[in-house]
Amino acid sequence: MNYEWEYLIYLTRCGACGEVPAPPAREIDWRSLLRLAYEQEVSATVAKALKQGATGCPDVLLQAQVSQMRGVAVQNVRRAEGWLSLLKTAAQQGLDILVIKGYDVARFYHNPECRVANDLDLLVREQQEQETFRFLQAHGFEMEERKPDSNHAVGEHPLLGMAELHISLISERFCRLFAGWNLNESAFENVQQIAFSGGSFQAMEATNSLLFLTFHLIKHFLYNGISLKMLWDIALFAENALQNIDTARYRQLLQNSRYDYFMRNVFGIMVRYGGFQKEDFPLEPAENTADIEALLQNVFESGAMGKNMAADEQSAWMFYYYDFAQSKHSREDLALINAAKREDVRSGVFPSVAVLSRRYPVLLRRKWLYPFCWLHRLVTRGFAFVFSRKRLSRRKVKEKEELSPQAQEKIRLLQRFHIVENINKV
């Protein structure tokens, strides 16, 4: 990790927390730093910090960054005003809509308008999905229907930008990692009304919000990559909402799913480089320098959502998954894997009425089709199970020696954190 990367983290803290930055201790390659800021989706936050202090950034580059930051801020303010007005109208019409991520995280930034936002994620009750879909259409959104295997529809508005309309937050497979708890079912319990930018919106209670941010971060780490913005989102939320978070439940669920050590390293990064304290987080931050540095190096190299090394991230995950599927396991691992397998077969062949109707809304009007759906799945899933080993062949997975150095390092990182994701697929 070079000094530009370290100073970028510092500048992000200054912009996110409203602090005046000190000049760098060494000579800075400012073009490299600002390119990293763009790749990590913190360019406007960093520009806010640069504008506040004498950092030595060349005036030409500084003015360009400040100009871009002002454009982002103006756009975000206008969108926020429009969204808050729209959500108020929706509530008056009886629609129950929660904001997830987005404004629920931005409210903890010193300058929320400088947090780069690509879209707004909304969660609705499943029974109100179609009504909310039509509501957004009536208010200028060009909507795309939710696909049967997806949990959200997508819409675009000429002024308000992109929106994702979710009916669930995490997959059923993810839910099965947590005994006695389901985020999709508890999302609308103890909903909060949050004041923001002259208006208000509804959000999940703090523990559920932090859990969702955690699973969202983990998902992107596994399949593509995570960004500096995502680290700051979860760190600021955890710090500011800590008094309202059920830390015992958060810790237990992370331990159940075996993601606790990964998250301890995430919080360890923010303590070591982000200026946070150990007491700011619901998990004890890790102190292993090698693991923290390895994770931070992956963030540095992959860029936001892994766009700098998408092929490497995918190759690494495929090899790791295949290697895990073929390897010997401890008694504890086997018990977890076999339990997940049994549940996966049951729910895959005979999903609940609610799951089927979500995927195929026509079933709500023609309930007599349910038995035929189950029969069809029994036949097709049966054949899929028989031939699954043929589909998962070494020929489709590169040998480890053929992988790039970045992909091999990602494999070592997955092994280091002992991540056994979606074990029910094994």
Side-chain angles (χ1 to χ4, degrees):
M1 184 177 71
N2 58 33
Y3 185 67
E4 281 77 17
W5 178 234
E6 187 175 337
Y7 194 62
L8 172 64
I9 300 173
Y10 169 71
L11 287 175
T12 306
R13 173 178 178 81
C14 293
C17 300
E19 300 172 359
V20 177
R26 306 180 208 166
E27 185 176 347
I28 287 284
D29 180 345
W30 284 101
R31 290 187 183 277
S32 175
L33 183 145
L34 295 175
R35 176 182 56 78
L36 284 171
Y38 174 78
E39 290 176 354
Q40 297 292 330
E41 298 186 321
V42 292
S43 55
T45 303
V46 166
K48 190 68 177 179
L50 293 174
K51 185 174 181 291
Q52 300 301 319
T55 59
C57 179
D59 191 60
V60 173
L61 297 179
L62 175 61
Q63 293 307 316
Q65 287 297 116
V66 170
S67 176
Q68 180 192 51
M69 177 266 292
R70 287 172 175 158
V72 169
V74 169
Q75 182 183 64
N76 283 342
V77 168
R78 288 175 177 171
R79 285 182 174 178
E81 290 174 351
W83 268 115
L84 294 173
S85 175
L86 192 62
L87 291 171
K88 181 178 180 180
T89 302
Q92 292 170 346
Q93 295 185 18
L95 296 176
D96 216 358
I97 302 177
L98 305 185
V99 173
I100 53 177
K101 298 184 295 178
Y103 301 146
D104 195 27
V105 172
R107 61 191 171 112
F108 295 124
Y109 281 69
H110 187 264
N111 299 101
E113 68 278 6
C114 290
R115 176 185 177 271
V116 174
N118 299 317
D119 56 20
L120 188 66
D121 293 85
L122 307 172
L123 178 68
V124 298
R125 295 183 185 275
E126 190 172 339
Q127 58 269 34
Q128 290 189 335
E129 178 188 13
Q130 291 304 312
E131 189 178 356
T132 308
F133 188 95
R134 291 191 294 271
F135 172 83
L136 292 176
Q137 280 184 318
H139 285 82
F141 279 85
E142 184 176 334
M143 300 294 294
E144 294 181 14
E145 289 280 357
R146 175 175 59 84
K147 295 178 174 61
D149 59 347
S150 174
N151 72 344
H152 67 271
V154 179
E156 184 172 8
H157 190 280
L159 298 178
L160 302 183
M162 301 290 295
E164 290 188 0
L165 188 63
H166 296 256
I167 58 170
S168 62
L169 295 174
I170 59 177
S171 70
E172 288 184 84
R173 287 172 169 170
F174 229 144
C175 289
R176 286 201 290 275
L177 290 173
F178 312 105
W181 179 82
N182 187 321
L183 179 57
N184 296 329
E185 296 176 357
S186 63
F188 283 89
E189 296 175 3
N190 303 316
V191 167
Q192 305 177 85
Q193 192 72 27
I194 306 295
F196 182 77
S197 190
S200 66
F201 61 87
Q202 288 192 117
M204 292 184 289
E205 60 91 17
T207 307
N208 281 341
S209 288
L210 181 60
L211 284 165
F212 175 65
L213 289 173
T214 298
F215 302 145
H216 183 258
L217 183 75
I218 292 167
K219 180 189 74 172
H220 281 290
F221 171 71
L222 290 168
Y223 298 129
N224 33 61
I226 57 180
S227 66
L228 195 56
K229 184 186 84 167
M230 295 173 75
L231 296 183
W232 275 98
D233 281 354
I234 198 165
L236 286 172
F237 188 95
E239 178 195 34
N240 287 278
L242 188 60
Q243 291 185 341
N244 298 317
I245 292 170
D246 184 341
T247 56
R249 182 159 69 105
Y250 183 80
R251 290 171 186 164
Q252 187 60 55
L253 290 172
L254 267 289
Q255 288 169 2
N256 290 349
S257 61
R258 301 188 181 184
Y259 294 139
D260 53 323
Y261 187 58
F262 171 77
M263 288 307 302
R264 287 181 58 218
N265 277 273
V266 168
F267 294 139
I269 288 173
M270 304 314 289
V271 169
R272 178 162 299 184
Y273 293 104
F276 291 86
Q277 304 299 314
K278 292 181 179 180
E279 299 75 21
D280 292 335
F281 302 120
L283 281 179
E284 179 74 17
E287 298 181 351
N288 186 312
T289 301
D291 290 350
I292 289 174
E293 295 297 332
L295 178 57
L296 193 54
Q297 184 68 24
N298 178 260
V299 177
F300 168 65
E301 291 180 351
S302 64
M305 305 303 179
K307 61 186 177 184
N308 289 348
M309 45 184 284
D312 294 322
E313 295 278 348
Q314 182 65 26
S315 296
W317 172 244
M318 287 183 67
F319 179 91
Y320 179 74
Y321 166 65
Y322 180 89
D323 190 57
F324 180 84
Q326 301 300 313
S327 61
K328 293 182 179 180
H329 304 286
S330 68
R331 182 176 300 179
E332 181 184 12
D333 280 346
L334 283 173
L336 201 58
I337 291 166
N338 289 332
K341 275 184 176 180
R342 289 192 294 271
E343 181 59 25
D344 195 39
V345 170
R346 184 204 64 77
S347 63
V349 175
F350 301 111
S352 66
V353 169
V355 170
L356 278 177
S357 60
R358 185 186 308 144
R359 289 194 168 210
Y360 311 107
V362 67
L363 294 175
L364 293 172
R365 300 188 300 274
R366 296 178 175 85
K367 300 184 185 299
W368 54 270
L369 287 174
Y370 282 116
F372 294 96
C373 283
W374 285 318
L375 179 61
H376 177 266
R377 292 174 78 88
L378 176 62
V379 173
T380 57
R381 294 298 174 97
F383 276 107
F385 177 77
V386 170
F387 295 105
S388 60
R389 285 189 174 273
K390 292 185 178 181
R391 291 204 310 273
L392 181 63
S393 65
R394 174 64 75 179
R395 286 175 297 178
K396 291 189 177 182
V397 182
K398 290 183 179 180
E399 295 292 341
K400 192 171 184 178
E401 294 73 20
E402 298 175 2
L403 298 173
S404 69
Q406 291 84 357
Q408 293 190 42
E409 181 57 36
K410 179 62 179 283
I411 291 169
R412 287 191 286 271
L413 203 56
L414 292 166
Q415 292 169 338
R416 183 177 290 181
F417 294 133
H418 191 58
I419 288 181
V420 187
E421 197 275 345
N422 270 353
I423 51 175
N424 45 1
K425 291 182 180 179
V426 177

